[in-house]
Amino acid sequence: MLSPPFDYSLLMPGQIRFGWGARRHVGSLAATLGRRVFLLSGSRALTERGVIAELVDELDRAGLPVITAMAAAGEPVVGEVDRLTQSWRDAGAGPGDCLLAVGGGSALDLGKAVAALLPQPARLSVRDYLEGVGTGAQLTADPLPLIAMPTTSGTGSEATKNAVISSYEPPFKKSLRSDRMVPRIALVDPELTVSVSPTITAHTGMDAITQCLESYITRKATPIPQALALQGLKLALPALGPVVQDGTLRPEREALAHAALLSGIALANSGLGLAHGVAAALGIQAKVPHGLACAVMLVPALHSNLAVAESPLAELARELLPRTPGSDHGAASALIEHLTALCAELGIPTRLRELGVARDQLPALVPASHGNSLSGNPRAVSDDELRDLLESLW
Ligand SMILES: [Zn+2]
């Protein structure tokens, strides 16, 4: 039996609007937040598919002027955050305005960072505010209100309180994090994910699954996020294989989008663990996409935590699998085997070298894996142990 700590607080978006075609509500929702909308589009494909024009039409119908910008490809870097913040400051963005970020996790994170920086009286770089590498600067003003609209089902960024910001020179991948940064509205329209490729669907889906699992067993776990993470796994595990085969399956697309949202609420409140710690390092040192890195690291991370997380993993196994062995060890192991088989079905590599990681990059991955995610891992992981783990996975 779990004995959750009945002493916690819970952060969530102020409003969640979820549903097939829910993007059509963007005008009425934005009208509750501001008189003008600064719209960040995550990709050219959204423009080409007519999604951005459709949103601008809806906002226009609600009487809201729109200023648009396009995110660069890839995960947001310090320079891009600073440039977009300055550009929208120059356009007069401030109190009374709201932001709408549409795209994958990278675009949502960029939108969240810019929304946070715009109203700050100190005109600092985003780098000053980042965990680990910043100057300790704190957000003193509330971010501008933000509507987060995901177009992939994975990071759950629409419900989290951080934005992951990268730098390649010097290399780091760190969070701008504040309770104030949870988006005011999460507007989740699973129909927008139908065009996501099988590969991206597999990787982002594994990210959501990893977030549910890591937040469930983390040492910071609390009861409501655990209930949401379990529900996320119930939805995502059976849906992912079929929807990678046929991206048009509506119930499976809905299930995955909902699982991603739940995983975001869970991780915002409970944190993550070893898989996400190493995934951040793989992202910055070897440019491995986040979801793929999580997918590769999930099973090794669970094996590494098995001795201390047997009981919660067994709880999950009994809820998620049709038949499980009676002992906690047997049930937890059965869940890890199930996940191993899912990764194999999805074609997830098992070796770091298959991700383009060179052997001489392994030492640099060790310090880069330490951070907020690893601090929540069910047990402490030493540098030596991390080095051995990475070596064994190479
Ligand atoms: Zn993740």
Side-chain angles (χ1 to χ4, degrees):
M1 275 297 288
L2 291 169
S3 49
F6 290 109
D7 179 2
Y8 63 89
S9 64
L10 185 74
L11 281 174
M12 282 177 61
Q15 184 178 353
I16 292 168
R17 185 68 183 84
F18 186 100
W20 199 263
R23 62 188 181 281
R24 285 184 276 277
H25 300 289
V26 72
S28 57
L29 291 169
T32 66
L33 298 184
R35 294 185 303 272
R36 197 163 56 149
V37 179
F38 287 79
L39 191 166
L40 174 66
S41 163
S43 72
R44 204 170 299 282
L46 287 171
T47 306
E48 289 164 1
R49 278 165 45 213
V51 173
I52 300 301
E54 198 184 348
L55 295 174
V56 170
D57 279 353
E58 293 292 343
L59 294 164
D60 195 46
R61 251 192 287 281
L64 300 167
V66 185
I67 296 93
T68 56
M70 171 102 63
E75 294 170 9
V77 295
V78 168
E80 186 184 17
V81 177
D82 289 346
R83 271 193 302 279
L84 182 57
T85 304
Q86 190 55 50
S87 150
W88 279 357
R89 262 192 195 130
D90 293 344
D97 294 322
C98 67
L99 271 67
L100 169 63
V102 191
S106 297
L108 301 194
D109 279 3
L110 176 60
K112 284 159 72 179
V114 171
L117 291 182
L118 276 170
Q120 301 310 315
R123 302 290 170 100
L124 302 172
S125 165
V126 68
R127 182 177 172 158
D128 291 296
Y129 297 92
L130 295 180
E131 291 175 348
V133 295
T135 56
Q138 300 293 320
L139 302 177
T140 56
D142 280 338
L144 292 189
L146 170 75
I147 301 177
M149 247 183 117
T151 56
T152 58
S153 296
T155 66
S157 177
E158 65 272 18
T160 68
K161 58 181 174 181
N162 67 311
V164 181
I165 309 297
S166 299
S167 161
Y168 294 100
E169 200 55 60
F172 62 75
K173 184 165 179 169
K174 294 289 176 186
S175 273
L176 169 61
R177 189 186 313 268
S178 164
D179 287 1
R180 303 173 183 221
M181 283 176 57
V182 180
R184 194 72 68 83
I185 298 175
L187 175 51
V188 187
D189 181 350
E191 193 178 10
L192 291 176
T193 68
V194 166
S195 57
V196 177
S197 72
T199 302
I200 302 291
T201 299
H203 296 173
T204 50
M206 284 306 299
D207 184 20
I209 287 170
T210 305
Q211 289 169 179
C212 287
L213 279 158
E214 293 208 292
S215 68
Y216 194 91
I217 64 171
T218 167
R219 60 179 106 176
K220 301 175 194 166
T222 51
I224 295 175
Q226 280 190 319
L228 300 181
L230 169 60
Q231 181 65 20
L233 290 167
K234 280 185 178 172
L235 290 167
L237 286 176
L240 186 53
V243 85
V244 167
Q245 292 299 317
D246 177 0
T248 64
L249 296 172
R250 175 171 167 173
E252 281 78 4
R253 284 291 189 194
E254 289 171 330
L256 270 190
H258 205 248
L261 170 69
L262 297 179
S263 79
I265 300 171
L267 84 88
N269 290 282
S270 299
L272 294 161
L274 175 60
H276 270 80
V278 177
L282 289 169
I284 199 61
Q285 300 290 338
K287 297 203 169 140
V288 183
H290 176 74
L292 174 59
C294 289
V296 172
M297 288 309 301
L298 175 60
V299 166
L302 292 179
H303 275 300
S304 158
N305 282 309
L306 183 56
V308 293
E310 221 167 66
S311 166
L313 286 173
E315 285 280 338
L316 285 176
R318 292 182 184 114
E319 293 280 349
L320 296 167
L321 305 181
R323 281 176 305 279
T324 47
S327 72
D328 276 4
H329 184 78
S333 300
L335 179 60
I336 298 178
E337 272 168 40
H338 183 82
L339 293 163
T340 306
L342 176 62
C343 287
E345 180 192 338
L346 298 175
I348 303 296
T350 55
R351 317 297 311 180
L352 296 182
R353 73 184 86 163
E354 295 173 76
L355 304 177
V357 179
R359 193 168 197 167
D360 61 11
Q361 287 179 302
L362 298 183
L365 292 175
V366 173
S369 297
H370 284 284
N372 193 69
S373 291
L374 198 53
S375 73
N377 197 57
R379 63 184 190 82
V381 183
S382 72
D383 280 357
D384 284 347
E385 200 182 342
L386 207 44
R387 198 172 299 115
D388 290 348
L389 175 68
L390 293 169
E391 193 69 44
S392 73
L393 291 173
W394 191 78

